Amino acid sequence: MSQFVVSARKYRPTTFEDVIGQNHVARTLKNALQSDKLAHAFLFCGPRGVGKTTCARILAKVINCLTPVDKVAPCNQCSSCKSFNENASFNIIELDAASNNSVEHIRTLIEQVRFQPQQGSHKVFIIDEVHMLSTQAFNAFLKTLEEPPPYAIFILATTEKHKILPTILSRCQIFDFKRIQTSDIVEQLQRILTNEGKTADVEALHQIAQKADGGMRDALSIFDKVASAVDGNITYKDVIQHLNVLDYEYFFKTIDACLRGDAKDAFLIVDDVIKNGFEPDHFIQGIAEHVRNLFLSKDTTTINLLDCSEELRQRYYNQSTLASEAFLLSALDMTNQCDINLPRSSNKRLLTELTLSKLAHLNHLVQGNIFAGNQSSQEKKTPDLNNTRVNTPDLSNKTTESPRLTSSATPTQSAASTSGGQRPADLPDQENAQFVEEAASQPMPELPKNLLTGASGPLKSKVADLRKKLMEEEAQKLHAQKGFNLESVQKIWDDYHEANSSMSTKTAMKHSILEIEDKKLKVSVPNAATKNIILQENMVVDRIRDNFGLNNLILEVEIDKSKFPDVEETQIKQTLTTREVYEHFKAKNELFAEFVRRFDLKPETHHS
C-alpha cells in the first residue's frame, strides 16, 4: 500500500511565488536576495499555519542554491537543492525550541555555528517556536545572535511574539505574517481539487475556509478529512455534517420567523437545533453573526465585508431588505446580551427561547404596527387595542419622557400638571387662554410617528389628554419666563446667600453685582477668590433656572475691580530674609547687635 501524504505536506510551497496570502513578506525577501542585502537574523511571527516555517525553508534553500533562478528561486538541480529535498543538507539546521529550550541546547547550537559550511556559502539555522526558550537560553544566545560569523544566518519563527525578550527582538528583522483571507484559501483548495481530480461546491469550500480561521494548514487538514469521507463531489451538507457546524439555514429560518412575529416557529427551530446535539450558546452566537451579516448587507459599501460566496451574499441581501436597521440593531443588542448571560444561566434553553420571543415581537414594536401609519395597513388588519398589552405603550406617563418639560417645571407647575392638568390659579381666564394659545404655537415635543393616525377609543382619549397637558405646561413655562427680570433674580440670589451657613459664601455673594443680558446671567466680582466661590455655587443657578423655566440660562462670572472701589486689594505678605530680620530688630533695639555678636550668630541672606 502506497504511503498517503497529507495535503499540507504534498502541496507545501517550494518558492515564494507559491506562498499564499503573504505577498508583503515574499516581496521583501525577494528584494533583499536580489540586492544582496540579506540580514543575519530574521524573526517570522504570526498565527499558526500561515507559512512562517515554509518561508524560512524557502529562504534557506535559495541562500544555499548554487544556481538560483533570478536570485529568488531555487533551481532544484544543484547538489545543495537535492540534498535539501532529501532532508540531508548539512548547511540548513532546524531546531525545535519547544523540546530544545535549555542553555545546554543553545551551547550545542553555538558550537555548530563555529564550523564553516562544507558546501555552499552560508549556514542557516531555523529555530521554530523560539518563544519556548528559557530566559537563560535567550541570554546565552544573545551574543551569537548579535555578532554571528559572516556565513551564519538565523531564522526564528514563533506564534507568540510578546513572549520573546526585547533584546532578542532588537537584533532581528521582524516579519509579521497575516491570517490568510478566506478567498485565498478557497482559490488554493480549488487548485488542489483540480490536481486531485475531485469537485466540490463553492459553499463547501467557503465553509472549510471559515472553519480554518485564516490558517492554510488547518484548511488542508479539514479538506483531507472531508475528502476521505465523501465519494465524488463534496457538498455543503457533507462539510457541516463532518465538521459539526450549524447550518446557516437555521439562522435564515429563525430570522424569517422573527420578522413574521412567529415565536412558536422559532421555538421549534431551537428544539431541532438542540436535538441535533448543538448547545444554545452556539445557536445564539450564530444568530448574532447572522444579524450582523444582515446589517452589513443593508449597504452596498459594506456588503463586500461578508466572508461568503456570492450566492450566499445575495441571500443575505434579500433578507436584509425585509428588516429595518432599527430591528437589526435591537436584535444585535438582544443576542449579545443573551450571549453574555448564557454562561451564568442555569437554564440556557429558557434564556434562548426568551430572547427569540423578544425578537419575534421586536419587528412589530419597531414598525409601530399598533399605530397604523396609512389607510392601507388599516384595511389589512385593525389591531385589538384592548387585548394587545405588549404593543400598547403606556401613554399616561408620557410626559415624564420629555426632559425639556420636566427639567424646567417648578414644584408648583408639577403639582398643577399632576392634578389633571388644571389651569394655573394665579392666571385670569383671558390671560391663561393667551398663554395656552402661545404654547400651542411653540414646537411640541416629538411624539411617536403615526401616533394619532388610526387611533380610536381609549387610545385616542389618552393621546388627547397628553397633548392637553403638554400645551398647559408650555403655557406655564412661557408665563414663568415672562417674569424673568433683574429684580426677581436678585431676590432669589439674596434669599440663597442669607440662608447659607458659610460666611465665605455670604461675603462673596454680597460682593457681587448681577446683570441680565438676554438669557445670560452676568455676575461681576472684585477678585479671583470671589469668582471661584461663585462658580462653585451651582445650586443658586439651578434654582434660578427652575424658577423661570430657563434650562439654557448661562452663568458668566467676570472680575471687574472698577465696580468695587470700596473693596481693598488683599496684600500678599512678603517673606523676609534672615539678614532683613536682623536689620529690623537691630533698628528696634540697640542691644540686639551686641546679643548677636556675643553669641557669635551670623545672619544669613537666605529666606527664613
Side-chain angles (χ1 to χ4, degrees):
M1 183 178 68
S2 60
Q3 186 178 3
F4 173 72
V5 180
V6 296
S7 299
R9 292 180 57 193
K10 184 177 181 180
Y11 294 99
R12 192 168 198 164
T14 57
T15 64
F16 288 119
E17 297 296 334
D18 299 333
V19 177
I20 306 298
Q22 309 298 341
N23 295 331
H24 63 293
V25 176
R27 183 173 59 253
T28 305
L29 293 177
K30 287 192 294 184
N31 290 340
L33 287 168
Q34 288 176 339
S35 60
D36 292 328
K37 295 180 179 179
L38 208 61
H40 67 271
F42 299 89
L43 175 62
F44 294 168
C45 50
R48 68 183 189 278
V50 295
K52 300 185 296 297
T53 307
T54 296
C55 286
R57 289 180 175 179
I58 295 173
L59 179 61
K61 188 176 179 181
V62 174
I63 290 173
N64 282 284
C65 180
L66 302 179
T67 57
V69 179
D70 296 331
K71 294 186 177 182
V72 297
C75 66
N76 288 320
Q77 301 296 327
C78 65
S79 57
S80 177
C81 290
K82 289 180 179 179
S83 61
F84 177 84
N85 293 337
E86 297 171 358
N87 292 325
S89 176
F90 291 101
N91 293 341
I92 301 174
I93 302 168
E94 289 193 43
L95 177 69
D96 179 22
S99 56
N100 301 275
N101 54 11
S102 66
V103 176
E104 293 299 324
H105 294 116
I106 294 299
R107 286 177 180 171
T108 303
L109 178 66
I110 294 173
E111 288 296 323
Q112 292 178 320
V113 174
R114 294 174 57 189
F115 298 99
Q116 294 187 2
Q118 297 178 356
Q119 182 182 359
S121 59
H122 290 82
K123 212 169 186 179
V124 183
F125 297 86
I126 301 175
I127 305 178
D128 209 358
E129 303 299 333
V130 70
H131 66 275
M132 299 292 288
L133 290 177
S134 64
T135 304
Q136 293 79 7
F138 270 129
N139 292 329
F141 187 41
L142 278 176
K143 191 62 178 177
T144 303
L145 185 64
E146 183 176 18
E147 297 179 0
Y151 52 80
I153 293 179
F154 297 95
I155 305 177
L156 316 180
T158 180
T159 56
E160 301 185 40
K161 174 183 172 183
H162 61 279
K163 291 186 178 181
I164 300 178
L165 297 180
T167 50
I168 295 292
L169 296 176
S170 64
R171 289 165 168 81
C172 301
Q173 276 191 6
I174 302 174
F175 290 85
D176 292 303
F177 284 66
K178 304 176 182 177
R179 294 185 183 273
I180 303 175
Q181 298 294 322
T182 302
S183 57
D184 294 333
I185 295 177
V186 171
E187 290 179 5
Q188 179 68 0
L189 292 177
Q190 288 174 335
R191 285 192 288 266
I192 294 174
L193 283 169
T194 303
N195 292 336
E196 296 292 329
K198 297 183 178 181
T199 58
D201 295 344
V202 177
E203 288 296 333
L205 298 182
H206 271 278
Q207 187 61 55
I208 293 174
Q210 291 174 4
K211 190 70 175 179
D213 193 26
M216 194 68 222
R217 184 173 60 234
D218 292 357
L220 294 175
S221 299
I222 297 171
F223 170 76
D224 285 342
K225 175 185 176 182
V226 177
S228 62
V230 177
D231 294 330
N233 185 56
I234 301 174
T235 64
Y236 173 76
K237 294 293 183 182
D238 296 327
V239 173
I240 63 173
Q241 179 182 355
H242 289 88
L243 298 184
N244 197 31
V245 176
L246 260 176
D247 188 359
Y248 54 69
E249 291 294 341
Y250 285 118
F251 307 136
F252 277 105
K253 292 178 182 178
T254 302
I255 296 301
D256 282 338
C258 292
L259 290 174
R260 295 193 310 268
D262 191 351
K264 292 180 290 185
D265 197 6
F267 285 2
L268 294 176
I269 295 174
V270 173
D271 182 68
D272 191 19
V273 168
I274 295 177
K275 284 182 179 179
N276 287 331
F278 296 100
E279 293 295 328
D281 310 63
H282 299 153
F283 179 69
I284 287 296
Q285 290 168 7
I287 287 288
E289 179 68 18
H290 184 84
V291 175
R292 170 192 173 271
N293 292 342
L294 292 178
F295 187 76
L296 294 178
S297 302
K298 295 290 287 184
D299 196 302
T300 55
T301 58
T302 56
I303 195 172
N304 294 324
L305 298 177
L306 298 186
D307 203 5
C308 60
S309 64
E310 288 297 329
E311 181 182 353
L312 185 57
R313 191 175 295 175
Q314 184 63 40
R315 289 192 62 184
Y316 278 122
Y317 173 76
N318 293 339
Q319 192 176 59
S320 69
T321 57
L322 304 176
S324 64
E325 290 189 4
F327 170 83
L328 295 177
L329 284 173
S330 300
L332 273 176
D333 181 62
M334 289 181 182
T335 52
N336 181 57
Q337 289 299 323
C338 181
D339 186 32
I340 294 172
N341 295 327
L342 269 174
R344 303 191 299 269
S345 175
S346 58
N347 193 338
K348 296 185 178 182
R349 177 167 182 166
L350 178 61
L351 181 57
T352 303
E353 291 174 342
L354 178 61
T355 302
L356 292 180
S357 299
K358 294 179 181 178
L359 291 177
H361 289 87
L362 178 61
N363 199 38
H364 294 291
L365 293 174
V366 169
Q367 293 182 354
N369 288 346
I370 189 63
F371 307 116
N374 49 61
Q375 187 65 27
S376 60
S377 61
Q378 279 188 29
E379 294 174 357
K380 291 179 182 178
K381 183 178 179 181
T382 303
D384 186 1
L385 299 176
N386 296 324
N387 298 325
T388 309
R389 296 185 60 189
V390 175
N391 291 336
T392 305
D394 185 8
L395 297 177
S396 60
N397 297 324
K398 190 67 179 180
T399 52
T400 60
E401 299 178 7
S402 176
R404 186 166 66 90
L405 293 178
T406 55
S407 62
S408 61
T410 61
T412 305
Q413 294 168 346
S414 300
S417 62
T418 55
S419 62
Q422 297 179 358
R423 294 175 299 180
D426 57 336
L427 293 178
D429 291 342
Q430 183 176 3
E431 187 177 355
N432 183 69
Q434 177 185 352
F435 281 115
V436 170
E437 185 177 349
E438 291 183 16
S441 64
Q442 298 296 318
M444 296 297 294
E446 292 188 5
L447 299 176
K449 293 182 178 180
N450 306 324
L451 185 61
L452 291 176
T453 307
S456 61
L459 178 61
K460 190 170 184 179
S461 176
K462 289 182 179 180
V463 173
D465 291 342
L466 169 63
R467 183 171 292 279
K468 182 179 179 182
K469 289 180 180 179
L470 293 177
M471 292 176 61
E472 290 184 347
E473 288 186 5
E474 286 291 334
Q476 294 170 357
K477 179 179 175 181
L478 287 173
H479 179 261
Q481 291 181 2
K482 292 211 169 186
F484 179 66
N485 52 53
L486 182 59
E487 182 180 354
S488 55
V489 171
Q490 187 69 52
K491 186 178 185 307
I492 296 175
W493 187 272
D494 295 339
D495 292 343
Y496 179 85
H497 74 71
E498 286 177 5
N500 201 297
S501 58
S502 173
M503 291 302 300
S504 59
T505 303
K506 287 178 177 287
T507 305
M509 295 185 71
K510 286 181 179 180
H511 290 88
S512 302
I513 298 177
L514 306 184
E515 296 179 14
I516 291 179
E517 182 179 315
D518 194 12
K519 294 183 179 180
K520 181 188 297 184
L521 176 60
K522 299 179 65 175
V523 181
S524 300
V525 295
N527 49 52
T530 305
K531 179 179 179 180
N532 292 334
I533 295 174
I534 297 298
L535 290 175
Q536 292 175 4
E537 295 300 321
N538 296 323
M539 291 182 61
V540 64
V541 182
D542 291 340
R543 186 175 297 182
I544 296 172
R545 288 171 179 160
D546 291 343
N547 192 77
F548 298 103
L550 295 172
N551 291 334
N552 55 351
L553 178 67
I554 300 173
L555 174 66
E556 185 179 288
V557 183
E558 59 178 11
I559 300 174
D560 190 350
K561 298 179 182 179
S562 60
K563 296 182 179 180
F564 303 90
D566 298 333
V567 178
E568 297 182 1
E569 190 71 26
T570 303
Q571 298 293 331
I572 300 176
K573 294 183 179 180
Q574 183 179 2
T575 304
L576 302 178
T577 64
T578 308
R579 169 61 63 178
E580 291 171 341
V581 172
Y582 169 75
E583 295 294 339
H584 172 75
F585 282 104
K586 180 182 176 182
K588 292 284 186 179
N589 193 333
E590 297 178 354
L591 298 177
F592 184 74
E594 180 64 20
F595 172 80
V596 171
R597 184 189 63 77
R598 186 170 293 184
F599 284 94
D600 196 21
L601 300 178
K602 297 180 180 179
E604 303 294 339
T605 57
H606 61 78
H607 290 279
S608 59

